[in-house]
Amino acid sequence: MSDIVYSIENLEQIYGSRTVLRVPSLQIAQGEVLALVGPSGAGKSTLLRLLALLETPTRGQVTLHLDGRAVTSATATIEDRRQIAMVFQRPVLLSRSVRANVAYGLRLRGKRNQHDRVEAALERVALTHIADTHPRTLSGGEMQRVAVARSLILEPRVLLLDEPTANLDPYNVGLIESLVREQNQQFGATSVLVTHNVFQARRLASRVALILDGDIIEIAPTETFFNAPRDPRTAAFVSGEFVY
Amino acid sequence: MALRSLQVTITALGICIVIGIPAGAALALIRFPGKRLLTALIYTGMGFPPVVIGLMVYLLLSRSGPLGSLGWLFTLRAMILAQIILATPLIVGITMSSVLGVDPGLQPQLRALGATRWQIVRALLLEARFGIIVGVVAGFGSVISEVGAVMLVGGNIEGRTRVMTTAIVLETRQGSFDFALALGIILLALSFITNLTMVLGQGKLSSS
């Protein structure tokens, strides 16, 4: 199938003696927004790092499909990796200006004189007025917006987000969510989003997966996931009465 | 003589930087067996008595020593060699700790933005730049102020290997305090001007 971006087969990720993630099979389609929900330590972020090809699975395969080619963390070239961008929960910025941070990924790709693109990206995250300041003076929400901007400017085919709005105020949450939606709708970026927040999953995702203790308990289209979950644990999770 | 001091200092420091910054970065970023031992040795080197280094270089370069055939003893090269051995551990150690001081969360994020291994190393060195400058300043300080080692291996030969510091020792011993003091002031001024230049350069770096 040509519209599959990721396929996972028999994946197991083991840290030390602990199996943190088991995914027998999972496909992620071109253009979908998949939300991974579940408690802390369930393996959501591990799955995201595997999708980012930042880690190599202990067993099994995570395959990224690009223009009919199948690449893994072992075979991906730097150009393949550059089709993916990831936003982390706690952004770490470079000690350069906000503008230089946003432009960084372009510079890595040898694109130095794309001022219009950089300004447009700053505009999108509403940071034009502080483009010349140093990141250490920014608030948490502003830092995360810089992190989102430095990823979106790359127009990645796959956008991975690890709890991008944890601990942020509603204004910043709304802004970041609308950017993710826009990137998906206008540029067709496939997005995988890790979130604690079931409401965010409902607002953004086309498909939602519940992960508990390293297993995908249920994965379903958002409507089904919330309105007619198969697993009682999903039902408990979406109703907010879930206790881990 | 002041020029010779600067020549020796700049040559030695240049070589120290070329060796020390990459070595410090490698020590911070690469895992290999024996790393702790090497780190301990470098920390020891950071506080090594210069005169002992002078003695070792002397023995190394003396006519019957392993490198005696080079004929470097009592030349500027011998002095530069001693100073390299003296100051390189400083630059390596401080570069290493500065690079280790960069937020460990940065590396995966740069990779996720599409940075190659070398682009990551470059970015981390830039993040650690202020610490690295401190290392270079410390290296400069130890090199330009060195007496014992350069006296031993250079021989303090007038017109050839006499530098500011060794001249100050000699003039003081001969009772020419005025001349010694004047040399001391020139040495201080040289040091100050160089450090001022580095600080100004640092300011430029931070605004970029």
Side-chain angles (χ1 to χ4, degrees), chain A residues 53-54 78 81-82 84-86 88 90-96 104 107-109 150-151 154, chain B residues 103-106 108-116 119-120 122-123 126-127 129-130 206 208:
Chain A
L53 307 182
L54 290 174
I78 186 72
R81 290 175 186 280
R82 285 177 173 173
I84 310 169
M86 179 159 167
F88 293 70
R90 188 182 64 89
V92 182
L93 304 179
L94 297 164
S95 54
R96 311 173 188 180
Y104 181 71
R107 288 191 56 184
L108 291 179
R109 288 154 177 76
R150 72 178 175 182
S151 291
L154 304 172
Chain B
D103 191 323
L106 183 62
Q109 304 200 6
L110 297 182
R111 266 189 85 192
L113 288 169
T116 63
Q119 286 174 326
I120 290 174
R122 202 185 113 87
L126 272 172
E127 287 302 291
R129 59 191 180 262
F130 298 117
S206 67
S208 74

Side-chain angles (χ1 to χ4, degrees), chain A residues 82 94 96 99-122 149-156, chain B residues 110 113-115 119:
Chain A
R82 285 177 173 173
L94 297 164
R96 311 173 188 180
R99 181 180 280 112
N101 269 282
V102 171
Y104 181 71
L106 290 179
R107 288 191 56 184
L108 291 179
R109 288 154 177 76
K111 299 175 181 168
R112 283 172 177 278
N113 296 310
Q114 310 229 335
H115 302 294
D116 295 349
R117 252 171 107 178
V118 176
E119 295 312 313
L122 285 164
R150 72 178 175 182
S151 291
L152 294 189
I153 196 172
L154 304 172
E155 293 172 13
Chain B
L110 297 182
L113 288 169
Q119 286 174 326

Side-chain angles (χ1 to χ4, degrees), chain A residues 2-120:
Chain A
S2 61
D3 60 344
I4 294 295
V5 177
Y6 281 107
S7 56
I8 295 179
E9 298 296 333
N10 303 317
L11 171 71
E12 272 188 58
Q13 189 66 340
I14 301 170
Y15 295 147
S17 59
R18 210 163 69 90
T19 305
V20 295
L21 188 67
R22 282 168 297 265
V23 182
S25 174
L26 175 67
Q27 264 102 45
I28 299 173
Q30 166 71 47
E32 77 168 308
V33 179
L34 173 66
L36 307 174
V37 298
S40 300
K44 309 184 297 292
S45 297
T46 303
L47 179 52
L48 210 60
R49 283 196 302 275
L50 285 160
L51 293 174
L53 307 182
L54 290 174
E55 285 184 25
T56 303
T58 319
R59 298 211 184 94
Q61 290 284 354
V62 174
T63 312
L64 171 67
H65 301 273
L66 291 171
D67 307 321
R69 287 181 310 118
V71 301
T72 65
S73 64
T75 62
T77 63
I78 186 72
E79 293 311 320
D80 297 334
R81 290 175 186 280
R82 285 177 173 173
Q83 307 300 321
I84 310 169
M86 179 159 167
V87 177
F88 293 70
Q89 181 181 356
R90 188 182 64 89
V92 182
L93 304 179
L94 297 164
S95 54
R96 311 173 188 180
S97 69
V98 166
R99 181 180 280 112
N101 269 282
V102 171
Y104 181 71
L106 290 179
R107 288 191 56 184
L108 291 179
R109 288 154 177 76
K111 299 175 181 168
R112 283 172 177 278
N113 296 310
Q114 310 229 335
H115 302 294
D116 295 349
R117 252 171 107 178
V118 176
E119 295 312 313

Side-chain angles (χ1 to χ4, degrees), chain B residues 91-102:
Chain B
I91 296 185
V92 174
I94 297 176
T95 299
M96 178 182 74
S97 63
S98 315
V99 172
L100 286 175
V102 174

